[in-house]
Amino acid sequence: EGPMAAENPKRVPLRWSSPKIRKRAREECARIQALEKQTTSRFHLSVAAALDRMNISHINERRIGTWCIDIHITEPGLEHIIIEADGPTHYLHNSTVRNGPALLKHKALADLGWTIVSVPYFEWNECSNAATEMAFMQRALQEAVRRKENQLQQHQELLQQHQQQPH
């Protein structure tokens, strides 16, 4: 055991000199992990900058339950929209297929009623200037609004069907 034990692939458990030290180490580890998870990438900042140029109000790095989301649109009428700047760590290695954690996050937030706009890094990288970035975001937001309208229409139809059934 000792400092080199951590490099051993057999995973030797750490031995703490006291439960108090173990608890403090865990708390510090959790604090550092939380800080690391809330870092804002240049990619994320460039997506937010496009929204700024479009005069669309938003909040960066907002918590919704246990999830830290990249951007929450706060523009009246668009408050149901969340933007996720999906960088390389959101995809399987050398792929454009989202990985499990990214899929879970998107599904969980959608199940809570949020409309998710995913901005894949490989599509964003094709934008050559501010104008193409704004056009990208305009299309993505319009599609999100259409999806929400379709979802609301489906819910209304289900409600009408339910009301027409004899009780």
Side-chain angles (χ1 to χ4, degrees), residues 3-122:
M4 298 305 285
E7 295 175 19
N8 184 337
K10 293 183 181 179
R11 298 189 64 137
V12 176
L14 290 172
R15 304 229 186 266
W16 301 97
S17 59
S18 76
K20 186 176 182 180
I21 291 174
R22 179 178 185 224
K23 182 180 180 212
R24 283 197 319 200
R26 281 188 167 185
E27 289 169 351
E28 181 64 9
C29 184
R31 186 187 71 77
I32 291 169
Q33 286 176 340
L35 288 174
E36 288 173 350
K37 288 180 181 174
Q38 292 184 11
T39 59
T40 305
S41 68
R42 282 184 298 200
F43 164 46
H44 172 159
L45 292 174
S46 69
V47 173
L51 295 170
D52 288 337
R53 288 190 297 275
M54 297 167 72
N55 293 316
I56 295 177
S57 57
H58 60 278
I59 299 170
N60 283 314
E61 301 292 348
R62 178 162 180 238
R63 280 214 167 280
I64 295 176
T66 59
W67 304 104
C68 183
I69 59 150
D70 291 336
I71 300 170
H72 174 212
I73 302 295
T74 56
E75 191 73 25
L78 302 177
E79 300 95 338
H80 62 279
I81 297 176
I82 291 171
I83 298 174
E84 283 295 303
D86 287 338
T89 61
H90 294 237
Y91 295 89
L92 297 177
H93 184 66
N94 290 331
S95 163
T96 59
V97 177
R98 273 196 201 90
N99 62 24
L103 289 171
L104 175 64
K105 181 179 182 181
H106 285 228
K107 171 127 178 51
L109 291 167
D111 287 351
L112 290 171
W114 295 96
T115 303
I116 314 301
V117 171
S118 173
V119 180
Y121 74 98
F122 48 87

Side-chain angles (χ1 to χ4, degrees), residues 135-153:
F136 181 102
M137 291 310 304
Q138 184 69 33
R139 284 189 306 275
L141 292 171
Q142 286 173 341
E143 174 58 28
V145 169
R146 273 194 295 278
R147 278 188 288 137
K148 188 64 166 185
E149 288 170 351
N150 289 340
Q151 187 180 43
L152 290 173
Q153 171 125 15

